[in-house]
């Protein structure tokens, strides 16, 4: 008959050290996650700022084609007036 395997004995001090190491690792991960969340907030702010700038540029751009059309109409009207004025 063989004797039973006594197994592995882990002392309370070793368990405590393991738990402390795990706690430190969790704190490091939490700090990294906080940093990533702060950076994504900054990115969201940047995207919102860029979106607002693009919208402002799009709104400011509409008069350019309108001015071109008005200049064309004015030129055609001037040409018509000079043609009929003869």
């Amino acid at each position: 008959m063989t004797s039973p395997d006594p197994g592995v004995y882990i002392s309370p001090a070793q368990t405590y050290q393991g738990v402390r190491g795990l706690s430190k690792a969790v704190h490091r991960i939490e700090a990294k996650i906080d940093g990533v969340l702060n950076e994504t907030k900054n990115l969201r702010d940047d995207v919102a700022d860029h979106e607002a700038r693009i919208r402002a540029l799009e709104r400011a751009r509409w008069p350019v084609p309108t001015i071109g059309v008005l200049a064309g109409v004015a030129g055609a009207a001037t040409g018509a007036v000079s043609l009929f004025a003869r």
Side-chain angles (χ1 to χ4, degrees):
M1 193 158 149
T2 61
S3 64
D5 186 18
V8 176
Y9 175 74
I10 300 175
S11 70
Q14 289 173 323
T15 303
Y16 177 73
Q17 288 293 73
V19 169
R20 286 199 35 109
L22 184 61
S23 174
K24 288 178 183 177
V26 167
H27 286 297
R28 282 194 309 269
I29 291 171
E30 285 177 343
K32 288 180 181 180
I33 289 174
D34 288 342
V36 168
L37 289 176
N38 285 338
E39 286 192 24
T40 58
K41 182 184 181 309
N42 292 341
L43 287 175
R44 281 182 274 150
D45 292 343
D46 288 346
V47 168
D49 179 50
H50 289 273
E51 185 71 25
R53 287 178 169 191
I54 289 171
R55 297 291 177 214
L57 287 172
E58 287 174 346
R59 279 192 305 272
R61 199 187 120 146
W62 75 267
V64 174
T66 305
I67 291 170
V69 168
L70 291 175
V73 169
T78 304
V81 168
S82 67
L83 179 66
F84 294 124
R86 284 190 199 182

